[in-house]
Amino acid sequence: MKRLGLVTAVASLGAGLLAGVPASAAVTAAPSIKWGKCEVSGPDDPMNQAECAQVPVPLDHGKPNGRKISIAISRIKATDRANYQGVLLINPGGPGGSGLAYSAGLARWLAGVGHAGTAARYDIIGFDPRGVGASRPAISCDPGYFTPVRPDYNVTTAAQEKVWLDKSKSYADACARKYGWMLPHMRTTDAARDMDVIRRALGKDKISFYGFSYGTYLGATYGTLFPKRVKRMVLDGNVNPKEVWYEAQLSQDVAFERNMKLWWRWIAKYDSLYHLGTTQDAVEKKYYAIRAAAKKKPIGGQVGPSELDDIMLTAGYSTGWYELLATALSNWATEQDPELLLALVNPGGEDNDFAVYNAVQAADAKWPAKWSTWHNDAVRTYQKARFVTWGNVWFNAPIHFWKVKGGPALKLNGKGMPGVLLVQSELDGATPYQGGLEMHKVLPSSRLVVELGGKTHSNTLNGNACLDDKVAAYLNNGALPASKNGPDAYCKAVPELNDPDPTAARTMAATPVPGKDLPVGIR
């Protein structure tokens, strides 16, 4: 739906194509799983507690006996066998986000918000969707694509626009050369069918699922294709099924503009600390002055205007980044100290994330065929959403040149699914609020919980007990809020998290959740 290429990269969503294979299509025998140790970074890595495996799946699910690829999975086994609830798959978003470490991550986050007992009831399964991370192959088209310093996102002339168009076409061409055989099989429906192979390999009749951001679309796609295979499903930060995918990034531009202004207002409130301006307008003006100077002379030789936008956009995702990013900006503005900004810049990019993001979104749905449509929509949207509009265009622009033309998008249908728990923050930038309302409509068995005033994207398991307790109750025994006309339940955003006070001692850790709060695609 939108883009961000930064301390990881942001972007648009993706829609699923049925690929002409009915859910009842013949399949091969379930593959066996050979569990082993996970590759970990050190003795304190939580993945030391997990086990990992590769699950072979058909490249083309319409040809189940044809060429195979493999999906990397991990498992944290249930310890409360008396209350065992089965397997729980988790996806962090993207498309392109790696979920392998999320088996251990989900167990840790549930414990961190007081619900270790919930995690203990499940075999928690993390996985890297096809083309991602430790799955084989992992797609990478141009590892140097995000190397600083890149051209300014905000183009003002045809010549500047052509530079980005040429760069985008070059990327799409590289993907076609390296992975042309795989690109037609990168739809969300392909990933959903991979999940069902994982289910069968685990020997389960049903699975539960926890999806963040784009993961909500993946979960809803799985439920549409395999409604009788779903036990429970939590979808947090919901994709708008009416906007898959081109329209989604336009909505995202406007939502992020609002959230950046909220952050600038917050900085102004603490001008005694940051010295960037005493009003929202003053801080915004200061930011664009710093940006203009970075265009003439990149900060530390690494942070030009596009890199600066990418770094700061993270504040539009999560209030947990407010203080760190304000400090980084202040250090440079007041002391010419670039150290923190340089630590946040993405020197080599996350090309696997970016490649899969483009591959999925391009295959999932139709995008405008004429570049003039993209251009005119960007010019129009920029008038009300200056911060990220053009950056979002260039994050998605390779899709314009993609060799695989996608669509039509899968029509989501919750018929036959059990009760689903939807959670939506009211001021979510990456997946704007309307997405929760629309997902609620297409999944009739769902219940929607809204976090009033919440500014953080996909904000469950982050310290709001009202939200987290509802998630735990549902995962424990299927308990859902009573159905109402519209959202079914409300939780107020937690002030200490939603509007952190950098001058106060912490009673809550308003810190980002690694991976879940970093923008990769729409996650």
Side-chain angles (χ1 to χ4, degrees):
M1 155 173 159
K2 77 134 277 150
R3 72 93 243 165
L4 300 185
L6 89 172
V7 298
T8 29
V10 157
S12 310
L13 316 156
L17 179 66
L18 188 53
V21 185
S24 59
V27 294
T28 56
S32 60
I33 296 179
K34 296 180 180 179
W35 294 104
K37 291 185 177 181
C38 300
E39 294 182 7
V40 294
S41 59
D44 295 326
D45 195 306
M47 289 301 287
N48 271 315
Q49 304 165 26
E51 48 191 349
C52 289
Q54 293 280 339
V55 177
V57 300
L59 170 67
D60 181 349
H61 283 278
K63 300 176 181 177
N65 295 311
R67 185 173 183 174
K68 297 294 194 295
I69 58 175
S70 71
I71 307 300
I73 68 172
S74 64
R75 178 173 69 178
I76 294 287
K77 296 182 73 172
T79 56
D80 183 1
R81 306 305 296 187
N83 294 296
Y84 182 64
Q85 297 296 311
V87 299
L88 174 61
L89 276 66
I90 180 171
N91 179 269
S98 170
L100 197 64
Y102 277 66
S103 55
L106 182 59
R108 187 170 68 251
W109 299 329
L110 281 166
V113 295
H115 294 292
T118 300
R121 298 179 179 213
Y122 286 91
D123 292 330
I124 303 177
I125 308 295
F127 67 100
D128 285 349
R130 58 172 53 201
V132 174
S135 291
R136 299 171 185 166
I139 298 176
S140 176
C141 303
D142 180 0
Y145 191 77
F146 285 101
T147 300
V149 173
R150 289 166 289 133
D152 188 350
Y153 289 144
N154 293 342
V155 298
T156 57
T157 68
Q160 292 171 353
E161 193 165 348
K162 186 177 185 302
V163 169
W164 268 110
L165 285 170
D166 290 347
K167 184 176 174 70
S168 300
K169 183 178 185 301
S170 177
Y171 189 86
D173 289 346
C175 290
R177 285 195 305 271
K178 294 181 179 181
Y179 292 100
W181 59 274
M182 190 172 178
L183 296 183
H185 307 288
M186 289 296 295
R187 299 176 174 93
T188 299
T189 46
D190 293 312
R193 294 183 186 283
D194 294 342
M195 287 170 54
D196 205 57
V197 175
I198 294 170
R199 175 194 63 78
R200 292 167 46 230
L202 293 169
K204 302 298 182 181
D205 290 332
K206 296 185 178 184
I207 61 171
S208 294
F209 179 82
Y210 203 136
F212 300 99
S213 195
Y214 164 78
T216 66
Y217 186 76
L218 175 58
T221 296
Y222 182 84
T224 296
L225 298 179
F226 305 100
K228 300 302 183 183
R229 298 300 185 183
V230 177
K231 181 176 181 179
R232 292 176 192 142
M233 187 174 286
V234 180
L235 304 180
D236 180 12
N238 289 270
V239 167
N240 188 334
K242 286 187 172 181
E243 295 186 339
V244 174
W245 291 116
Y246 177 76
E247 291 80 5
Q249 49 109 17
L250 299 174
S251 295
Q252 199 176 37
D253 295 341
V254 176
F256 272 116
E257 183 74 13
R258 175 203 62 215
N259 282 18
M260 294 307 295
K261 290 181 182 297
L262 290 172
W263 181 52
W264 288 324
R265 183 186 305 171
W266 178 89
I267 292 175
K269 182 179 178 180
Y270 298 104
D271 183 63
S272 61
L273 284 179
Y274 301 118
H275 310 293
L276 292 170
T278 57
T279 66
Q280 173 189 307
D281 289 346
V283 175
E284 182 173 3
K285 183 177 180 180
K286 183 68 173 180
Y287 175 79
Y288 284 110
I290 294 170
R291 189 187 190 281
K295 184 173 182 177
K296 295 179 180 178
K297 183 179 181 181
I299 298 167
Q302 295 284 307
V303 183
S306 297
E307 288 78 20
L308 188 66
D309 284 351
D310 286 346
I311 293 168
M312 296 302 155
L313 181 56
T314 317
Y317 279 84
S318 170
T319 59
W321 289 87
Y322 271 20
E323 295 176 48
L324 178 66
L325 295 175
T327 300
L329 197 62
S330 176
N331 287 354
W332 174 249
T334 61
E335 302 176 20
Q336 295 291 287
D337 179 359
E339 183 178 4
L340 192 47
L341 283 175
L342 292 175
L344 292 169
V345 76
N346 191 19
E350 297 291 342
D351 189 56
N352 179 232
D353 289 341
F354 188 60
V356 173
Y357 164 77
N358 280 277
V360 172
Q361 293 211 127
D364 264 357
K366 292 182 181 298
W367 289 67
K370 295 181 179 180
W371 182 254
S372 60
T373 302
W374 296 59
H375 172 91
N376 292 337
D377 284 343
V379 170
R380 172 181 53 81
T381 305
Y382 183 80
Q383 301 305 313
K384 55 185 175 182
R386 177 184 182 186
F387 186 84
V388 77
T389 293
W390 277 108
N392 209 9
V393 168
W394 302 124
F395 203 80
N396 290 283
I399 295 172
H400 180 64
F401 301 100
W402 214 249
K403 299 303 185 283
V404 176
K405 300 304 179 183
L410 175 68
K411 184 176 177 61
L412 297 180
N413 181 352
K415 183 179 180 180
M417 288 182 66
V420 173
L421 181 63
L422 308 179
V423 183
Q424 193 74 30
S425 294
E426 187 179 23
L427 301 178
D428 192 320
T431 51
Y433 178 66
Q434 189 65 29
L437 300 178
E438 296 298 335
M439 189 69 84
H440 193 25
K441 292 177 184 177
V442 300
L443 303 181
S445 65
S446 66
R447 300 291 184 271
L448 174 61
V449 179
V450 171
E451 185 186 37
L452 294 172
K455 294 179 282 188
T456 291
H457 174 49
S458 296
N459 201 32
T460 58
L461 310 186
N462 205 30
N464 186 329
C466 178
L467 295 178
D468 300 338
D469 289 353
K470 286 178 172 57
V471 169
Y474 172 67
L475 291 176
N476 284 340
N477 55 33
L480 285 167
S483 178
K484 298 179 181 178
N485 185 21
D488 303 296
Y490 295 92
C491 292
K492 293 182 179 179
V494 177
E496 297 95 322
L497 297 174
N498 205 50
D499 187 20
D501 182 353
T503 68
R506 286 293 181 274
T507 57
M508 287 187 160
T511 55
V513 175
K516 187 162 80 71
D517 286 341
L518 285 181
V520 171
I522 182 167
R523 115 164 93 182

